[in-house]
Amino acid sequence: MRILSSARAALAAALTIFVPTAAFSQDTIGNRLQAIVTDTWNPFFLLVAVGAGIAGVYMFARGLMKLVAASNERTNGGYASGIVSIVIAAGLIALPDAAGIGMTSILGAARGGSTLDSSGLDFSDSGASGNWLSGITGGTVGVGGVENCLIDTAAPAACMAKNIATNVVPMAVMALFAMVFIFGLIIFATALIDLAKSQDNPNHSKGHLTKLVTAALLMNAPVAFNLSTQTLLGREGTLNSIGNVVDSDLLKYTTGSSLEIVKKYTELIGHAFTILVFFGAWAFVRGIFMIKAVVEGRSQQGSFGMAGVYIVAGVLMANAKVSTCFILNTVGGASMAAGFCG
């Protein structure tokens, strides 16, 4: 017994050493994600936009040369190829505006509103400037604090789940959609370049329209997710149109069951709903990327059917409470679905 008491005392002392101090109280995954997105998103956005602008200038000059060649009757291609190159060049030079038009045309709304619809990049004598993170993605979300789950905690599993749900998940979902926007912008630009190249070589690439649609879906992934949720579930979901986790009753669990094991883990189940939101958003985005892979002929990456499964599964996973309600109501009736349909 004395040996056991000594071991317990040593363990308690060791845990005390690793209890977070004030100096490290903000050093969490949520805060790190927030800092990374804040520091890197705008530079990446500028890099893509300016790179597309340079490609657009080159494409514009190339289009003019094609028009000159056509006017001198040195080519059989006519004026169409040169005109298409100039139109695509305009889209590349004004890539944010073109992306906004593309998103509005497909989904009826452009993420970021007037940031992409009209103003575009703010060019001045000092270069391109502006904070598009807030305008386009809604800015970073608040990061919740964490509790010490090692000391004086009756339910450590629920405590750790709460820390993940409040500190990590909201910022992780926002960061996911923010990065996906950049990928969508890159795909949009490369699809325009491929479309221009196909004027000279029709076999160069296929599926230009699908790539443009995929890019628009990626840039507007939260809007597409929200529309899919309302279509599948018939109600607002756990994510809003800018990709933020909302304070919804779908993320709360109140048991109506008489089972003690269910009552004990009521809080844990509620936090699990929030954690599943991130995995649902990831699955939804994975499905859109899979569509792009299939269009590009990378069949080993999946199929359109599998992409659809990922998209539907992502919506159901992010809204796990109502999904479970539907399943349990269907299988066992209202009594089995107690707590999930409230």
Side-chain angles (χ1 to χ4, degrees):
M1 292 297 295
R2 286 184 296 178
I3 296 175
L4 180 60
S5 299
S6 301
R8 291 175 60 184
L11 178 60
L15 291 178
T16 303
I17 295 175
F18 291 103
V19 171
T21 60
F24 297 97
S25 60
Q26 299 301 314
D27 195 12
T28 63
I29 295 176
N31 290 101
R32 284 293 84 214
L33 285 173
Q34 187 179 54
I36 291 171
V37 172
T38 302
D39 292 341
T40 62
W41 197 91
N42 272 307
F44 270 105
F45 178 82
L46 273 174
L47 179 64
V48 174
V50 173
I54 294 173
V57 172
Y58 168 78
M59 195 74 65
F60 187 84
R62 188 182 179 193
L64 290 178
M65 293 174 64
K66 289 182 178 181
L67 292 178
V68 171
S71 65
N72 294 331
E73 298 181 348
R74 292 200 299 258
T75 178
N76 296 323
Y79 294 95
S81 180
I83 294 174
V84 169
S85 295
I86 291 176
V87 172
I88 292 175
L92 289 171
I93 293 172
L95 183 63
D97 298 85
I101 294 172
M103 287 189 289
T104 304
S105 301
I106 295 172
L107 295 173
R111 192 175 176 200
S114 60
T115 306
L116 288 176
D117 282 342
S118 58
S119 60
L121 290 175
D122 182 16
F123 288 101
S124 63
D125 293 337
S126 58
S129 61
N131 184 0
W132 297 279
L133 178 63
S134 178
I136 296 175
T137 69
T140 57
V141 298
V143 176
V146 295
E147 297 180 5
N148 190 334
C149 299
L150 299 178
I151 298 178
D152 297 331
T153 301
C159 176
M160 289 185 287
K162 180 181 179 181
N163 286 343
I164 296 173
T166 58
N167 180 267
V168 180
V169 172
M171 192 61 224
V173 172
M174 183 270 160
L176 172 67
F177 285 130
M179 291 186 293
V180 164
F181 182 94
I182 297 293
F183 281 116
L185 194 64
I186 295 173
I187 294 171
F188 192 85
T190 55
L192 290 177
I193 294 173
D194 286 343
L195 183 60
K197 290 180 178 179
S198 67
Q199 301 301 309
D200 299 326
N201 182 11
N203 296 322
H204 172 72
S205 181
K206 298 179 180 179
H208 305 299
L209 180 59
T210 306
K211 288 181 182 179
L212 290 174
V213 172
T214 301
L217 289 175
L218 288 173
M219 287 185 289
N220 246 358
V223 176
F225 188 94
N226 199 269
L227 292 175
S228 300
T229 300
Q230 294 187 43
T231 301
L232 290 173
L233 304 180
R235 58 168 296 171
E236 295 286 339
T238 55
L239 293 173
N240 59 21
S241 58
I242 59 175
N244 292 341
V245 180
V246 298
D247 184 14
S248 169
D249 61 340
L250 296 182
L251 300 177
K252 299 179 177 65
Y253 180 79
T254 303
T255 181
S257 174
S258 59
L259 298 175
E260 290 298 327
I261 187 67
V262 177
K263 292 180 179 180
K264 182 177 181 181
Y265 291 104
T266 295
E267 184 182 358
L268 179 61
I269 293 172
H271 296 317
F273 289 150
T274 303
I275 296 172
L276 286 174
V277 172
F278 171 77
F279 294 100
W282 176 87
F284 184 86
V285 170
R286 178 72 179 88
I288 299 177
F289 274 110
M290 190 173 291
I291 293 175
K292 176 179 177 293
V294 174
V295 171
E296 293 175 347
R298 291 181 285 158
S299 57
Q300 69 274 14
Q301 297 294 325
S303 63
F304 286 117
M306 188 177 294
V309 170
Y310 268 95
I311 291 172
V312 173
V315 172
L316 297 179
M317 192 183 303
N319 299 277
K321 181 180 179 180
V322 68
S323 303
T324 306
C325 170
F326 291 162
I327 295 172
L328 294 181
N329 265 340
T330 303
V331 175
S335 59
M336 182 178 288
F340 292 95
C341 298

